[in-house]
Coordinates of all heavy atoms in Angstrom, one line a residue:
L7 N -14.9 -11.4 -2.2 CA -14.3 -11.6 -0.9 C -12.9 -12.1 -1.0 O -12.7 -13.0 -1.9 CB -15.2 -12.6 -0.1 CG -16.5 -12.1 0.5 CD1 -17.5 -11.6 -0.5 CD2 -17.1 -13.1 1.4
V8 N -12.0 -11.6 -0.2 CA -10.6 -12.0 -0.2 C -10.4 -12.5 1.2 O -10.5 -11.8 2.2 CB -9.6 -10.9 -0.6 CG1 -8.2 -11.4 -0.5 CG2 -9.9 -10.4 -2.0
E11 N -5.7 -17.5 4.2 CA -5.7 -18.9 4.7 C -4.9 -19.0 6.0 O -5.1 -20.0 6.7 CB -5.1 -19.7 3.6 CG -5.9 -19.8 2.4 CD -5.2 -20.6 1.2 OE1 -4.0 -20.4 1.0 OE2 -5.9 -21.3 0.5
R23 N -19.5 -16.5 8.5 CA -20.4 -15.5 9.0 C -20.7 -14.4 8.0 O -21.8 -14.0 7.9 CB -19.8 -14.8 10.3 CG -19.5 -15.6 11.5 CD -20.7 -16.5 11.9 NE -20.4 -17.3 13.1 CZ -19.8 -18.5 13.1 NH1 -19.3 -19.0 12.0 NH2 -19.6 -19.1 14.3
K29 N -26.3 -13.2 2.7 CA -27.6 -13.8 2.3 C -28.8 -12.9 2.7 O -29.8 -12.9 2.0 CB -27.8 -15.2 2.8 CG -27.0 -16.2 2.1 CD -27.3 -17.6 2.7 CE -26.4 -18.7 2.0 NZ -26.6 -20.0 2.5
R36 N -19.9 -12.5 -5.8 CA -19.4 -12.8 -7.2 C -18.2 -13.7 -7.1 O -18.0 -14.6 -8.0 CB -19.1 -11.6 -8.0 CG -20.3 -10.7 -8.3 CD -21.2 -11.4 -9.3 NE -22.2 -10.5 -9.8 CZ -23.5 -10.7 -9.8 NH1 -24.0 -11.8 -9.3 NH2 -24.3 -9.8 -10.2
Y40 N -9.0 -16.9 -2.1 CA -8.2 -17.2 -1.0 C -6.7 -16.8 -1.3 O -6.3 -17.0 -2.4 CB -8.2 -18.7 -0.7 CG -9.6 -19.2 -0.3 CD1 -10.5 -19.6 -1.2 CD2 -10.0 -19.2 1.1 CE1 -11.8 -20.1 -0.9 CE2 -11.3 -19.6 1.4 CZ -12.2 -20.0 0.5 OH -13.4 -20.4 0.8
S44 N -2.6 -12.4 5.0 CA -3.1 -11.0 4.9 C -2.2 -10.2 4.0 O -2.7 -9.3 3.3 CB -3.3 -10.4 6.2 OG -4.4 -11.0 6.9
F45 N -0.9 -10.4 4.1 CA 0.1 -9.6 3.4 C -0.2 -9.8 1.9 O 0.2 -8.9 1.1 CB 1.5 -10.0 3.7 CG 2.6 -9.2 3.1 CD1 2.9 -8.0 3.6 CD2 3.3 -9.7 2.0 CE1 3.9 -7.2 3.0 CE2 4.2 -9.0 1.4 CZ 4.6 -7.7 1.9
L55 N -10.9 -5.7 -8.2 CA -11.4 -4.4 -8.5 C -11.4 -4.1 -10.0 O -12.2 -3.2 -10.4 CB -10.5 -3.4 -7.7 CG -10.6 -3.4 -6.2 CD1 -9.6 -2.5 -5.6 CD2 -12.0 -2.9 -5.8
K56 N -10.7 -4.8 -10.8 CA -10.7 -4.6 -12.2 C -12.0 -5.2 -12.9 O -12.3 -4.8 -14.0 CB -9.5 -5.2 -12.9 CG -8.2 -4.6 -12.5 CD -7.0 -5.4 -13.1 CE -5.7 -4.9 -12.6 NZ -4.6 -5.8 -13.1
L66 N -11.1 -10.5 4.7 CA -11.2 -11.2 6.0 C -9.9 -11.8 6.3 O -9.4 -12.7 5.6 CB -12.3 -12.3 5.8 CG -13.7 -11.8 5.5 CD1 -14.6 -13.0 5.2 CD2 -14.3 -11.0 6.6
G67 N -9.3 -11.4 7.4 CA -8.0 -11.9 7.9 C -7.9 -11.7 9.3 O -8.6 -10.9 10.0
G82 N -0.3 -2.9 9.5 CA -0.2 -1.6 9.0 C -0.1 -1.4 7.5 O -0.8 -0.6 6.9
D83 N 0.8 -2.3 7.0 CA 1.0 -2.2 5.5 C -0.3 -2.7 4.8 O -0.6 -2.1 3.7 CB 2.2 -3.1 5.1 CG 3.5 -2.5 5.4 OD1 3.6 -1.3 5.8 OD2 4.5 -3.2 5.3
I88 N -4.7 -1.5 1.2 CA -6.1 -1.7 0.9 C -6.8 -0.3 0.7 O -7.6 -0.1 -0.3 CB -6.8 -2.4 2.1 CG1 -6.4 -3.9 2.1 CG2 -8.3 -2.3 2.1 CD1 -6.9 -4.7 3.3
G105 N -6.4 -7.2 14.1 CA -5.0 -7.1 14.5 C -4.5 -5.7 14.3 O -5.3 -4.9 13.8
E118 N -17.5 -13.1 15.0 CA -18.9 -12.8 14.7 C -19.0 -11.3 14.2 O -19.7 -11.1 13.1 CB -19.8 -12.9 15.9 CG -19.9 -14.3 16.5 CD -20.7 -15.2 15.6 OE1 -21.7 -14.8 14.9 OE2 -20.4 -16.4 15.6
P121 N -16.7 -9.7 10.5 CA -17.3 -9.9 9.1 C -18.5 -9.2 8.8 O -18.7 -8.6 7.7 CB -17.5 -11.4 9.1 CG -16.7 -12.0 10.2 CD -16.6 -11.0 11.2
A128 N -19.0 -2.3 3.2 CA -18.9 -2.4 1.7 C -20.2 -2.1 1.1 O -20.3 -1.4 0.1 CB -18.4 -3.8 1.3

Side-chain angles (χ1 to χ4, degrees):
L7 281 65
V8 178
E11 294 173 322
R23 298 313 183 275
K29 280 183 184 178
R36 294 290 194 231
Y40 297 90
S44 294
F45 185 78
L55 291 170
K56 293 176 189 175
L66 299 170
D83 284 352
I88 286 172
E118 297 289 328

